[in-house]
Amino acid sequence: MSTNVKISAALVAAVLLGLVVTGWVTSPGSADRPSTATGADGEVPVVREDSHRLSTAENGQVTLVEFLDFECESCRAAYPLVEELREEYAGEVSFVARYFPLPGHPNSETAAVAAEAAAQQGAFEPTYRRLFETQESWSHQEASQADVFRGFAEDLGLDLDAYDRAVADPATLERIEQDRHDGLALGVEGTPTFFLNGELLVPTSVEQFRAAIEAELGG
């Protein structure tokens, strides 16, 4: 495990204790379970067809979904843990990232738009990584960081004309709003919020996090 994706037990514990506790959400199984859960608005998709999959398990039996905000410090702190779990459960667990930009973060929505514009060129994951790994340099600034994010797109070798069109296209923001709408309907109030096979996951330790995954793998 490389040092840049390692996270201390104390830091992980702080992150997990900070997860939003809004009750447990359950869902029946399915071929690519879970695709929906029971939220305030009835059956709500936990994973949509166009959701961004960071890793995909061959059997599709276990899925961990994170509603995240790229400007959220807790999401940044959880990022190395998610990377560790992706490596540890490669091929066994699908990892899905969904947008939930918070209104108190001045550039969270702009960052999400940048990630979605990059996703249209198949570059969601490298942009996701870049946004978290550089968060301290651009976060919590009132001035728009759109040019910074465009610089990331350039560094990643994206077609900048296509990127600019995607950023300006209202459909890009609508895609982000759909994730946020689903999150709100599922009871998400803050970030990061995790769902494991349709259940809101609120462990208080890394051990409980892994135990929950192991239980689903053995179920």
Side-chain angles (χ1 to χ4, degrees):
M1 183 72 62
S2 61
T3 56
N4 67 321
V5 297
K6 287 188 176 181
I7 187 168
S8 70
L11 180 56
V12 172
V15 171
L16 295 179
L17 284 169
L19 296 179
V20 178
V21 180
T22 56
W24 291 91
V25 183
T26 60
S27 172
S30 67
D32 185 22
R33 65 191 185 102
S35 60
T36 62
T38 303
D41 296 341
E43 290 297 302
V44 180
V46 177
V47 180
R48 288 184 177 269
E49 185 175 346
D50 63 351
S51 293
H52 296 304
R53 291 161 174 79
L54 296 169
S55 304
T56 303
E58 294 179 2
N59 58 21
Q61 291 184 353
V62 180
T63 300
L64 181 70
V65 178
E66 179 185 4
F67 283 86
L68 59 83
D69 175 341
F70 289 112
E71 198 167 1
C72 166
E73 295 96 331
S74 293
C75 292
R76 171 63 184 89
Y79 163 69
L81 171 60
V82 173
E83 293 300 291
E84 286 187 10
L85 294 173
R86 285 180 63 196
E87 182 173 320
E88 184 174 346
Y89 294 104
E92 297 181 276
V93 177
S94 295
F95 289 80
V96 178
R98 301 197 66 180
Y99 304 113
F100 199 80
L102 298 170
H105 294 158
N107 279 283
S108 58
E109 188 174 277
T110 305
V113 167
E116 184 59 25
Q120 294 179 28
Q121 297 188 49
F124 175 80
E125 183 174 354
T127 304
Y128 155 93
R129 290 179 182 275
R130 183 68 64 88
L131 287 167
F132 278 134
E133 290 168 3
T134 64
Q135 186 196 81
E136 289 185 1
S137 69
W138 59 262
S139 64
H140 301 293
Q141 300 185 40
E142 292 301 323
S144 173
Q145 299 298 294
D147 287 345
V148 173
F149 303 148
R150 189 177 190 273
F152 296 163
E154 184 175 15
D155 291 344
L156 293 170
L158 302 188
D159 180 330
L160 292 182
D161 288 339
Y163 174 86
D164 291 341
R165 287 194 298 272
V167 167
D169 187 349
T172 301
L173 183 57
E174 289 171 7
R175 166 69 179 75
I176 294 159
E177 287 299 320
Q178 181 64 76
D179 273 10
R180 181 155 47 190
H181 179 271
D182 287 349
L184 289 169
L186 288 165
V188 175
E189 295 180 354
T191 56
T193 295
F194 294 94
F195 288 86
L196 180 64
N197 275 0
E199 291 191 348
L200 183 64
L201 181 63
V202 285
T204 57
S205 69
V206 179
E207 290 73 20
Q208 286 187 14
F209 208 130
R210 285 192 169 89
I213 293 174
E214 292 289 346
E216 292 297 322
L217 287 171

